[in-house]
Amino acid sequence: MPTDTPSLIGYALAGSLPVVVIGALLLRYTRNRTMTTSMAVLVLIPTLATLAGVVAVSGLMFTHDFMRTAVVLAVVTAVTVPAAILLGREQARAMVWEREMLEQERAAERSRRELVAWVSHDLRTPLAGIRAMGEALQDGVVAGPIDVARYADRIVRETNRLSAMVDDLFEMSKINAGALRLQMEPVDLRELIDEVLAANQPTAEKAHIKLSARQPDDRIVVAGSDRALGRVLTNLVANAIAHTPPGGRIDISAGAEDGHAWTRVDDTGPGISEADLPRIFEVAYRGSTARSPGADGLGSSSGMGLAIAAGLVAAHSGDISARNREDGASFEVRLPLLGANGET
């Protein structure tokens, strides 16, 4: 057994360094594995290196002092390894959460950039038209009563379009900022569907589309905001009208099952591209086909109609989905059903 300090250092290094090297190799081997495994290896390396150094210095003589040291190291290992495993799991969860938050922030930033690009484009078009028609009226280029009335009607229509886009922007900003405040109350989906049907019937008739509703006899009551849920259904129906060819039909249906109320809007349009389906509810996403929101001006020209619908449904703790059918597309909204005692 060495007694002088240089010899003690040499024997301690000779005993502990191999353990450290083996531990480093293990860490390299387990670097692509779980955080828990890496944390356990990190804790075991100094403990086992210490034990190996003590064994080397003692000259493999298992004295009473050596046994005391070994017991202490065993207790320390029994305490620190489980703690390391727990901490490793917590750290792994924190890293996963941070990564998900970062991905969400990147997705939100991408959506914001797309929104700015699309809205800038869509605002420029009606503004240019209004300016051209206003200058024509101002310069007297258009003087006939019929032409003046036609230009004035066009200006009003473009102004209403701009107003709707501003309203969409305001609604979307509240949803994204978490500032949406809804007055929840019992709402019968059947009554809501009747209101949306009546409001959109003239537009559907003008587009030569048959708009109808199929509802059960029993009430379908959910807890929600009448205005917000009406906006959801209106956006879905307007989107369906915008993408259903003349002679087509749109069916609104509703029901209840498994503690949830559901309402669907089915159309006989061209359907949705499979590549666009995962992003159909993103802000300002227009897709690559004519099925994209607002393609012909009848839908939400800002491209936010479906995104607003998704945000409002989420605020009601519900789900919204889209899928293709054999002869068109189907949008479904599912909301928690309100029980007889007023609880969802």
Side-chain angles (χ1 to χ4, degrees), residues 276-290:
D276 296 335
L277 268 176
R279 300 188 61 191
I280 197 71
F281 295 108
E282 291 185 12
V283 178
Y285 185 71
R286 308 241 173 152
S288 56
T289 68

Side-chain angles (χ1 to χ4, degrees), residues 27-341:
L27 280 176
R28 184 178 180 84
Y29 175 74
T30 60
R31 63 181 178 179
N32 294 327
R33 297 179 181 271
T34 63
M35 178 69 69
T36 301
T37 303
S38 299
M39 292 292 288
V41 173
L42 282 172
V43 171
L44 285 174
I45 288 175
T47 304
L48 295 179
T50 302
L51 180 61
V54 172
V55 171
V57 170
S58 66
L60 299 179
M61 295 179 63
F62 300 102
T63 63
H64 180 67
D65 290 337
F66 172 79
M67 295 303 296
R68 291 175 59 189
T69 303
V71 169
V72 171
L73 290 175
V75 172
V76 170
T77 303
V79 173
T80 54
V81 170
I85 292 175
L86 292 175
L87 291 174
R89 290 176 179 174
E90 289 296 328
Q91 185 66 20
R93 280 194 288 265
M95 290 178 64
V96 170
W97 180 80
E98 290 175 359
R99 184 161 55 247
E100 290 177 350
M101 290 298 297
L102 182 60
E103 291 175 355
Q104 291 178 4
E105 290 177 0
R106 289 175 177 173
E109 182 61 29
R110 183 174 64 252
S111 296
R112 281 192 290 269
R113 287 197 298 268
E114 291 177 354
L115 174 61
V116 170
W118 280 113
V119 171
S120 298
H121 174 270
D122 285 350
L123 285 174
R124 191 179 297 114
T125 301
L127 283 174
I130 292 173
R131 179 179 179 181
M133 289 181 288
E135 290 177 348
L137 292 171
Q138 184 181 42
D139 295 340
V141 176
V142 178
I146 296 177
D147 290 335
V148 169
R150 181 166 57 87
Y151 270 56
D153 179 69
R154 183 67 181 178
I155 290 174
V156 171
R157 290 174 58 188
E158 293 296 334
T159 302
N160 290 335
R161 182 182 172 192
L162 287 174
S163 178
M165 292 175 65
V166 172
D167 290 341
D168 283 352
L169 280 171
F170 182 62
E171 191 83 12
M172 201 70 244
S173 65
K174 289 194 295 182
I175 293 173
N176 288 336
L180 192 64
R181 298 292 180 265
L182 300 177
Q183 187 68 35
M184 298 295 190
E185 58 185 3
V187 177
D188 187 353
L189 285 183
R190 299 181 310 161
E191 297 178 359
L192 199 63
I193 290 174
D194 288 339
E195 294 175 3
V196 172
L197 184 69
N200 288 274
Q201 197 68 256
T203 305
E205 292 176 355
K206 183 178 180 181
H208 304 288
I209 297 170
K210 183 177 180 180
L211 178 62
S212 61
R214 293 181 287 106
Q215 303 186 64
D217 296 330
D218 298 332
R219 285 163 50 88
I220 309 172
V221 182
V222 299
S225 164
D226 185 80
R227 184 197 66 82
L229 293 179
R231 179 74 184 274
V232 170
L233 287 179
T234 297
N235 285 5
L236 295 182
V237 171
N239 182 71
I241 293 174
H243 303 101
T244 300
R249 62 177 294 119
I250 298 171
D251 295 316
I252 310 173
S253 56
E257 59 183 8
D258 300 329
H260 283 79
W262 59 266
T263 179
R264 278 194 296 267
V265 177
D266 300 325
D267 64 56
T268 56
I272 307 169
S273 168
E274 293 298 327
D276 296 335
L277 268 176
R279 300 188 61 191
I280 197 71
F281 295 108
E282 291 185 12
V283 178
Y285 185 71
R286 308 241 173 152
S288 56
T289 68
R291 176 71 218 194
S292 56
D296 60 5
L298 291 174
S300 176
S301 59
S302 63
M304 289 181 285
L306 295 180
I308 290 173
L312 293 176
V313 170
H316 287 80
S317 301
D319 296 307
I320 187 170
S321 60
R323 63 179 180 86
N324 286 316
R325 303 183 302 127
E326 291 184 1
D327 57 347
S330 176
F331 289 82
E332 180 176 283
V333 174
R334 295 183 67 87
L335 299 167
L337 198 61
L338 190 65
N341 57 357

